Amino acid sequence: MLENIYEKIKAYDTVVIARHIGVDPDALGSQFALKTSIEKTFKNKKVYAVGAKSSKYNYFPKLDKYENTNKEALLIVVDTPDKKRIDITNLENYQEICKIDHHPFIEKFGECEYIKTDSSSASELILELILKNEMVLDSEIATYLFIGIVSDTNRFLFNTTYKTFEIIKNLVQKYNIDIESAYRNLYTRPISEIRFQGYISQNMHVTSNGLGYVIITNDIMQEYGVDASSAGNMVNNYNNIEEVIVWTTVSEDVKNKIVKFNIRSRGPVINTVAEKYNGGGHKFASGARVKNMEEAEELIQELDNLCKEYLEKEGK
Ligand code: AMP
């Protein structure tokens, strides 16, 4: 399938690369690695990396605007399992669509799909595509991939095997990656976020079944000067709490009139529950969007039941 995707890239003069809404460093890393490699491999192609920008990730290049009028382009969607999560509209205006993803399969939306759920990240799959087809790989491209892999594995904590280390070893050894600068870009945070983390730590409810949850209202976000997406990202800081097996941030997003769940687990499979609430994701890292706090309470209850069932099954 990777050869197939390469043949399609070769055949089109214009290639547009999209990814999921709620952008993160793996989505951007895979987008920009692919864009740069295509540009450097084929000098005459026009390549656009599209989607909403986020000032948080301004160490990546600027995203492109693409006026989709003539239906002549190939669309490659990275790191996204379903249509509704693609950060782009008018899919029907592309000649062909390819998907490159590491999420559990949800739906087919393209002519060619390369899906590998045991991959550490979408960036790892882009690296596979580049290596298999002898596309250009240099220090700039390797750095985008490095950032994507480090970030999606949470610094080699999740979905990490000897293969991940092998890939990283090769990237670092051959392409002179500035590791310190990459880590600085990924992990430097404003003091407002640290203070906000203090709020979450103080206000996380922990149920007797091992569900940790914190409700973050718009007022609280304003008080601490953070937005809904920074609030949700905080979920990654609460792994390995003895009393907690599933944990979630529940953030009010007044702009989009929804309540957002960012959910993590170190036992129960959570994506099946998330899918029932306009969400999805990986087995142990999912998200969901509900309409209001009432529905949020329902989902919290369901997650708590999931923890209970898990503990009973495990005999704990
Ligand atoms: P996040 O908490 O935003 O880092 O998301 C964790 C995982 O869940 C990622 O793989 C996301 O793509 C996925 N995810 C988050 N929100 C949703 C949603 N509303 N629908 C489907 N998947 C989601």
Side-chain angles (χ1 to χ4, degrees):
M1 188 47 83
L2 285 179
E3 288 92 337
N4 209 335
I5 295 176
Y6 177 71
E7 287 307 318
K8 293 207 186 292
I9 293 172
K10 235 164 76 178
Y12 281 84
D13 291 333
T14 307
V15 181
V16 178
I17 305 164
R19 38 74 185 165
H20 58 78
I21 49 174
V23 67
D24 61 30
D26 183 36
L28 287 168
S30 45
Q31 251 185 325
F32 282 108
L34 183 56
K35 171 183 155 124
T36 314
S37 181
I38 296 174
E39 282 173 344
K40 290 181 176 174
T41 307
F42 306 96
K43 299 279 184 294
N44 53 356
K45 287 191 195 300
K46 290 203 160 47
V47 192
Y48 301 84
V50 299
K53 65 173 188 219
S54 163
S55 57
K56 199 171 165 167
Y57 305 120
N58 59 12
Y59 48 89
F60 281 103
K62 276 208 171 89
L63 286 147
D64 303 305
K65 291 246 169 305
Y66 175 66
E67 291 299 329
N68 187 355
T69 47
N70 53 15
K71 216 186 168 198
E72 280 174 356
L74 169 68
L75 175 68
I76 302 180
V77 180
V78 298
D79 201 25
T80 316
D82 53 349
K83 270 200 227 168
K84 76 173 193 316
R85 297 265 302 154
I86 307 174
D87 194 354
I88 198 175
T89 48
N90 56 26
L91 283 187
E92 64 290 344
N93 281 358
Y94 291 88
Q95 188 68 231
E96 286 188 286
I97 304 176
C98 293
K99 180 208 276 187
I100 302 176
D101 188 30
H102 73 128
H103 290 90
F105 178 80
I106 294 185
E107 65 178 338
K108 186 170 164 62
F109 56 73
E111 278 67 26
C112 47
E113 302 202 327
Y114 185 65
I115 301 165
K116 238 174 113 182
T117 49
D118 61 353
S119 172
S120 68
S121 53
S123 297
E124 183 181 323
L125 301 179
I126 300 301
L127 178 64
E128 260 188 63
L129 172 73
I130 290 173
L131 293 177
K132 190 154 223 136
N133 297 291
E134 297 182 5
M135 294 167 71
V136 171
L137 180 56
D138 61 10
S139 173
E140 180 189 359
I141 297 163
T143 301
Y144 296 143
L145 296 171
F146 178 85
I147 289 175
I149 296 169
V150 167
S151 161
D152 238 39
T153 59
N154 200 358
R155 280 174 276 180
F156 309 109
L157 189 59
F158 307 124
N159 298 324
T160 300
T161 63
Y162 75 94
K163 246 189 85 187
T164 326
F165 287 113
E166 217 162 63
I167 288 165
I168 289 293
K169 177 219 164 224
N170 286 329
L171 286 181
V172 172
Q173 190 176 31
K174 292 188 188 150
Y175 299 102
N176 198 23
I177 293 170
D178 184 345
I179 298 176
E180 268 184 41
S181 142
Y183 272 74
R184 210 178 309 119
N185 281 333
L186 272 172
Y187 297 109
T188 303
R189 304 185 284 163
I191 187 70
S192 56
E193 260 189 51
I194 304 295
R195 295 199 202 287
F196 182 54
Q197 191 172 321
Y199 172 85
I200 295 180
S201 306
Q202 293 294 336
N203 289 281
M204 182 177 277
H205 301 272
V206 178
T207 70
S208 56
N209 297 315
L211 174 70
Y213 67 94
V214 59
I215 295 175
I216 306 163
T217 60
N218 189 53
D219 287 348
I220 290 295
M221 281 180 243
Q222 285 190 334
E223 187 181 328
Y224 285 89
V226 295
D227 59 16
S229 81
S230 312
N233 279 334
M234 288 291 172
V235 76
N236 295 316
N237 297 336
Y238 291 87
N239 202 352
N240 298 323
I241 300 174
E242 206 174 8
E243 294 84 353
V244 171
I245 50 172
V246 171
W247 62 105
T248 181
T249 52
V250 182
S251 337
E252 203 178 14
D253 181 347
V254 285
K255 204 166 95 200
N256 296 306
K257 295 198 179 87
I258 52 163
V259 179
K260 264 184 60 189
F261 277 70
N262 296 68
I263 318 164
R264 300 292 183 266
S265 167
R266 52 188 184 88
V269 170
I270 49 179
N271 57 352
T272 40
V273 172
E275 277 160 24
K276 286 167 52 187
Y277 290 85
N278 199 20
H282 303 279
K283 278 200 283 191
F284 304 126
S286 298
R289 287 154 180 244
V290 299
K291 289 190 285 295
N292 48 42
M293 281 298 170
E294 231 169 51
E295 211 187 338
E297 292 293 345
E298 218 179 277
L299 176 49
I300 290 169
Q301 189 57 54
E302 216 167 308
L303 289 171
D304 194 41
N305 292 343
L306 190 73
C307 291
K308 187 164 187 255
E309 280 162 26
Y310 176 82
L311 292 179
E312 281 166 3
K313 218 168 77 209
E314 295 289 303
K316 288 181 183 159

